[in-house]
Amino acid sequence: ADGGDAELELSAVRHQPEGLERLLTRTKFTKKELQSLYRGFKSECPSGLVDEETFKLIYSQFFPQGDASTYAHFLFDAFDADRNGALCFQDFVIGLSILLRGTVHQKLKWAFNLYDINKDGYITKEEMLEIMKSIYDMMGRCTHPALQDSAPAEHVELFFQKMDRNGDGVVTFEEFLETCQKVSSTAGAFGIDAILL
Amino acid sequence: MAAGVAAWLPFARAAAIGWMPVANCPMPLAPTEKNKRQDELIILNVSGRRFQTWRTTLERYPDTLLGSTEKEFFFNEDTKEYFFDRDPEVFRCILNFYRTGKLHYPRYECISAYDEELAFYGILPEIIGDCCYEEYKDRKRENAERLMDDNDSENNQEGSMPSLSFRQTMWRAFENPHTSTLALVFYYVTGFFIAVSVITNVVETVPCGTVPGNKELPCGERYAVAFFCLDTACVMIFTVEYLLRLFAAPSRYRFIRSVMSIIDVVAIMPYYIGLVMTNNEDVSGAFVTLRVFRVFRIFKFSRHSQGLRILGYTLKSCASELGFLLFSLTMAIIIFATVMFYAEKGSSASKFTSIPASFWYTIVTMTTLGYGDMVPKTIAGKIFGSICSLSGVLVIALPVPVIVSNFSRIYHQNQRADKRRAQKKARLARIRVAKTGSSNAYLHSKRNGLLNEALELTGSTEDEQHMTKGTSLIESQHHHLLHCLEKTTGLSYLVDDPLLSVRTSTIKNHEFIDEQLFEQNCMESSMQNYPSSRSPSLSSHHGLTTSCCSRRNKKTTHLPNSSVPATRLRSMQELSTIHIQCSEQPSLTTSRSSLNMKSDDGLRPNCKTAQITTAIISIPTPPALTPEGESRPPPSSPSHSTNISTTTTSNIVKVSAL
C-alpha cells in the first residue's frame, strides 16, 4: 500500500524545475537548448519527475535485444544527484551539461561516479564487475562472437590492470584520471562532443 | 522508435560516456548532423484551422506525410504555411499522434472517413492506442459486414440472369417467391393447402351433430369420405412440392438433411403409412398415433413466415440458456419434491405418495399455476410449499431475459438487413437518375448546339439566346470530355431528335465549303478584338491553320457577340459552319460566346494531321492540352458525326457541329 501511495504521490505531485535563469547559470546550455530539452522532457514526463521504473523502461527501448535495466539503474543513480529516487529536470539537465559540455576532467569524474556504485570514492573489482556485466547484458545473447560468460570478468581484469597503479585492488579517482588521460585511444574517443544536442 | 523515446536519444548517447573508459577499442565517430537547424515552428493550415507545432515533432515519424518531405508539396509560398484541404477535426487526432506517440480514434467519427484521413497522412491504423483499438476494430468489422451484406444481396438480386438452367430457375423460384409470378402463385397455393390441411385436422375432431343413434360423432367420422378426399388432395400437393424441391435442389443430399425437408416428410408419411396398413387391427392404435404427426404440417408455414424462422433460429442460438433453464429447474424440482414428500409423509391420506408424484406439485407450484389438485396439509409442508413457489418465480425469471434479448437482437438484425436492402435500392435509383440526368444534360447541350446551328441558318438571334442555356464551367468541361471521347472513338452519343439528324446531313455537305474563307476569318478574328460587326475580310494571318500545337500559342480575344458569326454566316450562303476562334478570356459568357468559340478537341486525335476542327456551337474549349489559361471557354457539346477528319490536307478547316 505504501508503494502504491508513493506512486500516487509521485504522479500527483507536479515538480517544477528551477527557473530558466538559474539553470542557465548552472549549466552550459543556451537558453534555446534548455527550452528544447525541457519541452522534450516535459512531454515525456508530464509530472516533471522520472522514477526509476520509467527510466529503465525508456532506456531499455534503445537496446531492444538485451537487458538494459541494470545499467539503467546505475545510470539513474549517477544522474540522481540528490538521491531522492526520482530524476527531476535539474538532475537531468545538469548531468547532460557535464556530459556534453563539460571538460574532460568533469566527464571523467562523472564516469568515475558512475562506476563507483556505493559512491565511496573507490572502484572495487566487484563494483566494476557489476558494471561490466550490466554493459554486456545490454548486448543481449545474440552476438558475434558469442558471448562468453567469462567475458565480463576478463574485461574487468584488463581494466584493473590498466587502471590500478598501485595494485591495491581498488581504483581511485586519481588513478582513473591519470590512466584515462594518458591512454591516447580513449582520449581520442572522448571526442564525443560529436554527440550534439 | 516511439516519439517520446526519440526525445531521450541525446541523453542515451551522452550516457554512453560511461562505456568509454572501459572500452578496449576506440569508439566510432559519431554521425555529424548536417544542416543542423534550430527547431522552428511550422504552421499547418487545415481547411482554415491553423495548427502549429515544432518541426522536430513532425519529424519523429519520417515515413508519414507530415514527417517527410512530402509535405513540401503542400507548402503555400504566399502564406508560408502548409495548407491541407482536409478535415480539421480528424487532423487534431493525427497531430496529437505526433505529439504524444499515441493515435486515438474518436468515437463520433465515421470509420471510413477516419480511415481515409489516415491513409492520406500515411499513418497505419495498426498503431492506434490500446485505449481506442477495440472500438476501432469493432466499427471496422461492422462496416465490413455491412459492405459484405450489400455485396451479397446485390449479387443475389442481380443474379446471373442468363445461363441459368431450368433446375436452377426452379430452385430460385422455390427459395425466393418474388422472382416470378409462377413462383408467387405456387407459394400462395401451398400456403393455402397447408392451412386447409391444418384446419381439417382440427375440425375432424369437433363433434357435429348426432347420428340417429345416441352417440355424438365427431365430424371426422360423420363425413369420413369428404375429409379423406381433402386429406388426399393436400397430401398430393405436398408430395408434388416435395418431389419438385428434391429435383431442383442443388445438393440433394444436403436438402434431404435439412430441417424443412424432414418436416415435409413427417407431414406426409402418416398418410402413406395409413394407406399401406389400412385394415390391420393390431396396428390401428399405432396408426392413430401416427395421425398426430399430421400436426407437423403446421411447421411448413415457417417457409412462409420470416418471424417463425427467426424464432426457430433464436431458440437454436439460445440453446445454452435454455439448457441452463432446464437444468436449474430440474434441480429445484427434485429438491422441493423430495422435501415436500418427506414433509407430507406424516399426514394421512396425503396425495404425495412418492417423490415422482410430488414432481407434479412442484412444477405446478413453481410456475405459479397452482391447480390445487395437490395441496400440502401439514404446517411444514405449507412452509416449504410457499418457499417453493417463491423460488420458482426467481428461477424462471432469470434466463428468460437472455432469450428475449437474443430474439430481439436477431430480429432487429433481420430488420436492418431488409432496411439496408431497401435503402440500397433507393440509392441505386438515385444514382441512376443522376447518371441519366448528366447524360441528358450532355445530349441536351448537344441538341442545343445543333439547334443553334440550325438557328444560325435561319438567322434568328432571339431564339439563339433562348436555346443556349448557360452551363457552368465544370459542366462544359465535362461535356468537352465526352466530346473528346466521341472524337477518339469515332462514335458519338445518340441525339434523338430527328430534325437534327436532317441538319447534320446538310452540314456534311457544307463541310468543305468556304474553308479558306473560314480560315481567314479565324485568323483575323483570332487576332483582333471584334466589334459587333465583323466583316469577313481576309487577313493574312496564316498561323492559325497550322498544327494544333501551334494553336496553343494563340491568345485571342473574346468575341463578345455571337450575332456576329450569324451575320457573317448569313453573308456566306450555305454555310452552316460557325467560325469559332480560340479565345483566352477568363470571363466567358458561355451562352453567347460559345457560339464563337472554337473547339480544338478534334485536334487531339488529329494533331498530327494538322487539322483544325471548329465547333459550330457553343463550347469553345480549346482542348485541355493548351496549357494556357485556367478557365477555358466551356467545352462544346458533342458533335454529331459530321466531323470528318479524313481530309488531311493542312489548312482545311473543318467545321463540325458540336
Side-chain angles (χ1 to χ4, degrees), chain A residues 39 44 61 79 115 155 192 195, chain B residues 4-5 8 17-18 22 54:
Chain A
R39 280 200 302 268
E44 278 317 294
Q61 302 213 9
F79 268 94
Y115 298 146
H155 206 139
I192 44 178
I195 299 181
Chain B
V5 178
W8 288 83
I17 286 189
V22 297
W54 297 107

Side-chain angles (χ1 to χ4, degrees), chain A residues 39 44 55 58 61-63 71 75 79 92 96 99 114-115 128 135 138 155 158 176 189-190 192 194-195 197, chain B residues 1-2 4-5 8-15 17-24 27 30 36 38-39 54 60:
Chain A
R39 280 200 302 268
E44 278 317 294
F55 185 82
I58 292 173
Q61 302 213 9
F62 293 106
F63 306 100
Y71 187 70
L75 264 186
F79 268 94
F92 178 69
L96 259 172
L99 286 174
L114 173 68
Y115 298 146
M128 205 56 228
I135 292 180
M138 278 199 289
H155 206 139
L158 226 68
F176 185 74
F190 268 56
I192 44 178
I195 299 181
L197 242 190
Chain B
M1 208 185 289
V5 178
W8 288 83
L9 186 58
F11 166 80
R13 293 175 76 206
I17 286 189
W19 306 335
M20 303 272 162
V22 297
N24 290 333
M27 294 283 160
K36 184 169 146 31
Q38 279 290 15
D39 206 0
W54 297 107
R60 284 181 189 157

Side-chain angles (χ1 to χ4, degrees), chain A residues 55 59 69-80 83 98-99 106-124 126-132 134-135 138 159 173 176, chain B residues 11-12 14-22:
Chain A
F55 185 82
Y59 200 75
S69 48
T70 331
Y71 187 70
H73 167 76
F74 296 133
L75 264 186
F76 188 83
D77 281 343
F79 268 94
D80 190 9
R83 324 306 314 282
I98 295 176
L99 286 174
Q106 287 173 328
K107 288 180 189 172
L108 286 173
K109 179 93 178 90
W110 189 90
F112 185 85
N113 196 36
L114 173 68
Y115 298 146
D116 187 9
I117 296 177
N118 54 4
K119 317 286 180 233
D120 61 353
Y122 300 102
I123 303 179
T124 63
E126 291 74 26
E127 289 174 337
M128 205 56 228
L129 188 61
E130 278 199 47
I131 298 269
M132 202 62 73
S134 71
I135 292 180
M138 278 199 289
F159 179 80
F173 180 57
F176 185 74
Chain B
F11 166 80
I17 286 189
W19 306 335
M20 303 272 162
V22 297

Side-chain angles (χ1 to χ4, degrees), chain B residues 479-527:
Chain B
H479 294 166
H480 175 244
L481 185 67
L482 293 173
H483 180 60
C484 296
L485 183 61
E486 283 189 335
K487 284 282 182 288
T488 314
T489 58
L491 311 166
S492 74
Y493 291 101
L494 218 46
V495 178
D496 47 359
D497 191 338
L499 182 63
L500 295 173
S501 52
V502 171
R503 291 282 167 228
T504 61
S505 54
T506 44
I507 289 163
K508 245 188 245 217
N509 299 336
H510 295 148
E511 200 153 324
F512 297 95
I513 292 174
D514 276 327
E515 289 147 5
Q516 290 292 333
L517 189 56
F518 258 77
E519 175 194 334
Q520 281 150 358
N521 278 331
C522 281
M523 289 184 265
E524 78 177 335
S525 58
S526 72
M527 287 309 161

Side-chain angles (χ1 to χ4, degrees), chain B residues 367-419:
Chain B
T367 54
T368 70
L369 272 176
Y371 287 134
D373 53 350
M374 281 166 83
V375 180
K377 294 200 172 54
T378 61
I379 296 184
K382 286 189 181 157
I383 292 174
F384 287 119
S386 40
I387 296 175
C388 174
S389 61
L390 287 175
S391 68
V393 173
L394 266 178
V395 169
I396 290 184
L398 282 176
V400 167
V402 178
I403 297 172
V404 166
S405 75
N406 257 1
F407 179 78
S408 164
R409 178 175 57 86
I410 295 172
Y411 185 72
H412 283 306
Q413 241 176 32
N414 236 296
Q415 296 289 77
R416 224 180 298 135
D418 286 342
K419 216 192 300 179

Side-chain angles (χ1 to χ4, degrees), chain B residues 304-319:
Chain B
H304 298 246
S305 158
Q306 176 125 348
L308 262 185
R309 274 205 297 270
I310 293 176
L311 186 59
Y313 182 69
T314 311
L315 289 176
K316 202 162 56 147
S317 71
C318 301

